[in-house]
């Protein structure tokens, strides 16, 4: 087994910068290069991390020190970037969504399989200690057959207006995480989605053809049911919870407080909560990068494959279609 893995990061926005930092903290990883066409983002990363900087990621892919690649560019660029990285024969970690269309996702999946490459999609909740413990409990049979899942994700407030057109819409931008958690926790595929949504707070979203609150009713291959709630209206906190009901026991993964203390007085009890996903899922982001490095170095298979990425966008787009057409939509496999 190789001792270290030279990694290059493409895309140095907020999440890309966080992934870059996590690479530097991961045992077995060496950050060797970063790439971003925006000079300010590139200069900041080069200065902060001491890596070689490339304005053009295609030049970075020619660097022999780059043995694996993290892709954190805007989603609309993923297909072209991923196909270039696949052609270069380098293992890939790609932020979600894998791309914005099922057709492109299927082509990526086929290209990865043909090349025999490692690809891991950034569904970080699969590495969150609470979700992992719940998944292990379900798989052990301790809960009995999982029959119902409720998943809730609420962002602290609305997105910047400039971001909305490139986000894919609420059901893609946010719901893709919850849909992945649902199929992962239930251990089977979703067979029907019925979605609804509305603008309840951020009126500017109406002009952008998006919503700030959505719900999805689900049916599963095992006969189970589910409900997902997604919202941009959590009033300055980031709130995410998952509940799975089994035939004999239930398991809840929730967030109540960020640090283990409460203040009591004045006829109230208060505690702090995360105000963004990077706080709530700090450990998960670090653990997914650690898994990427370890698996590539040891030759283990990806725990979150290109197929999972394709299913995520397929389900999210199905939910969007259901909302637009105001009807349940069946999925076949």
């Amino acid at each position: 087994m190789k001792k270290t893995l030279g990694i290059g990061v493409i895309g140095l926005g907020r999440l890309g910068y966080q992934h870059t930092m996590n690479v530097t903290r991961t045992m077995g990883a060496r950050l060797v290069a970063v790439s971003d066409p925006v000079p300010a983002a590139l200069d900041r990363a080069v200065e902060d991390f001491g890596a070689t900087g490339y304005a053009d990621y295609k030049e970075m892919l020619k660097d022999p020190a780059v043995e694996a690649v993290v892709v954190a560019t805007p989603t609309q660029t993923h297909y072209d970037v991923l196909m270039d990285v696949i052609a270069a024969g380098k293992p890939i970690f790609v932020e979600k969504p894998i791309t914005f269309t099922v057709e492109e996702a299927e082509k990526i999946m086929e290209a990865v399989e043909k090349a025999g490459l490692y690809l891991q999609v950034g569904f970080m909740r699969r590495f969150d200690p609470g979700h992992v413990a719940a998944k292990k409990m379900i798989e052990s049979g301790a809960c009995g057959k999982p029959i119902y899942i409720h998943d809730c994700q609420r962002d602290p407030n609305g997105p910047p207006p400039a971001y909305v057109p490139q986000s894919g819409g609420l059901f893609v931008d946010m719901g893709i995480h919850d849909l992945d958690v649902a199929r992962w926790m239930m251990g089977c595929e979703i067979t029907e989605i019925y979605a609804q949504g509305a603008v309840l707070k951020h009126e500017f979203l109406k002009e952008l053809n998006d919503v700030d609150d959505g719900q999805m009713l689900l049916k599963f291959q095992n006969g189970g049911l589910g409900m997902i709630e997604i919202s941009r209206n959590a009033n300055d906190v980031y709130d995410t919870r998952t509940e799975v009901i089994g035939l004999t026991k239930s398991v809840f993964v929730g967030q109540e407080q960020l640090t283990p203390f409460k203040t009591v007085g004045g006829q109230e009890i208060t505690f702090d909560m995360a105000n963004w996903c990077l706080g709530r899922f700090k450990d998960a982001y670090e653990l997914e990068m650690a898994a990427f490095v370890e698996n590539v170095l040891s030759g283990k298979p990806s725990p979150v494959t290109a197929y999972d990425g394709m299913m995520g966008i397929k389900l999210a787009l199905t939910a969007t279609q259901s909302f637009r057409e105001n009807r349940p939509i069946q999925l076949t496999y």
Side-chain angles (χ1 to χ4, degrees):
M1 179 173 119
K2 281 171 56 69
K3 291 184 178 180
T4 60
L5 184 68
I7 296 178
V9 180
I10 305 174
L12 299 168
R14 177 167 51 179
L15 199 49
Y17 185 91
Q18 184 66 45
H19 284 315
T20 306
M21 184 180 296
N22 289 342
V23 168
T24 67
R25 296 170 174 173
T26 300
M27 184 178 299
R30 289 179 295 111
L31 178 70
V32 296
V34 291
S35 176
D36 197 294
V38 178
L42 182 60
D43 292 345
R44 176 194 183 199
V46 169
E47 181 177 348
D48 288 353
F49 302 114
T52 302
Y54 293 90
D56 185 348
Y57 74 86
K58 293 181 182 181
E59 292 301 313
M60 190 192 85
L61 294 178
K62 298 175 185 177
D63 187 337
V66 176
E67 300 168 308
V69 175
V70 173
V71 177
T73 59
T75 304
Q76 59 267 33
T77 70
H78 279 189
Y79 178 75
D80 289 338
V81 173
L82 288 174
M83 294 306 260
D84 287 337
V85 180
I86 293 167
K90 300 180 189 291
I92 300 164
F93 176 95
V94 57
E95 192 46 58
K96 67 82 194 172
I98 192 168
T99 186
F100 271 150
T101 73
V102 175
E103 293 76 18
E104 288 182 351
E106 288 176 339
K107 289 178 182 177
I108 293 167
M109 187 171 62
E110 292 167 3
V112 166
E113 185 175 345
K114 183 177 179 180
L117 278 178
Y118 182 101
L119 184 146
Q120 180 179 324
V121 182
F123 287 127
M124 78 288 186
R125 286 199 225 173
R126 293 197 186 209
F127 299 87
D128 172 61
H131 285 85
V132 169
K135 176 63 175 176
K136 288 180 178 178
M137 183 176 177
I138 294 167
E139 286 184 327
S140 74
C143 296
K145 173 186 173 182
I147 57 175
Y148 181 79
I149 184 168
H150 172 251
D151 194 272
C152 164
Q153 180 186 185
R154 298 173 183 156
D155 272 4
N157 39 54
Y163 171 72
V164 175
Q166 60 180 331
S167 72
L170 181 73
F171 294 98
V172 170
D173 185 37
M174 290 182 62
I176 198 168
H177 277 297
D178 309 270
L179 289 161
D180 180 72
V181 165
R183 59 185 291 267
W184 178 55
M185 285 285 189
M186 294 293 281
C188 61
E189 300 294 357
I190 296 166
T191 57
E192 182 178 293
I193 300 177
Y194 186 22
Q196 64 175 354
V199 175
L200 302 180
K201 183 176 181 178
H202 304 286
E203 291 293 319
F204 73 89
L205 289 170
K206 291 180 179 178
E207 298 178 5
L208 298 172
N209 198 30
D210 200 3
V211 293
D212 56 23
D213 255 272
Q215 297 170 327
M216 291 173 268
L217 297 179
L218 311 175
K219 292 182 180 178
F220 292 87
Q221 281 179 330
N222 70 351
L225 298 175
M227 178 186 166
I228 291 173
E229 174 195 344
I230 46 178
S231 173
R232 286 168 168 152
N233 302 324
N235 296 322
D236 299 323
V237 297
Y238 180 73
D239 182 12
T240 177
R241 285 168 276 136
T242 303
E243 304 168 349
V244 180
I245 312 301
L247 282 175
T248 56
K249 288 184 179 179
S250 303
V251 58
F252 293 177
V253 182
Q255 177 204 333
E256 291 185 353
Q257 58 198 75
L258 191 60
T259 49
F261 76 91
K262 300 179 182 180
T263 60
V264 182
Q267 299 182 340
E268 66 180 14
I269 299 174
T270 63
F271 49 83
D272 64 348
M273 294 178 70
N275 65 358
W276 194 234
C277 59
L278 293 179
R280 166 62 179 89
F281 289 113
K282 177 182 181 294
D283 291 343
Y285 282 114
E286 294 178 355
L287 289 166
E288 70 176 354
M289 192 59 65
F292 173 62
V293 173
E294 180 186 350
N295 292 343
V296 172
L297 287 174
S298 62
K300 295 178 183 178
S302 172
V304 196
T305 65
Y307 175 79
D308 293 315
M310 184 277 295
M311 284 303 304
I313 191 62
K314 180 177 182 179
L315 293 170
L317 291 175
T318 299
T320 303
Q321 180 186 357
S322 172
F323 162 61
R324 300 292 181 205
E325 299 178 3
N326 192 28
R327 65 180 180 92
I329 295 179
Q330 285 74 40
L331 296 106
T332 55
Y333 300 93

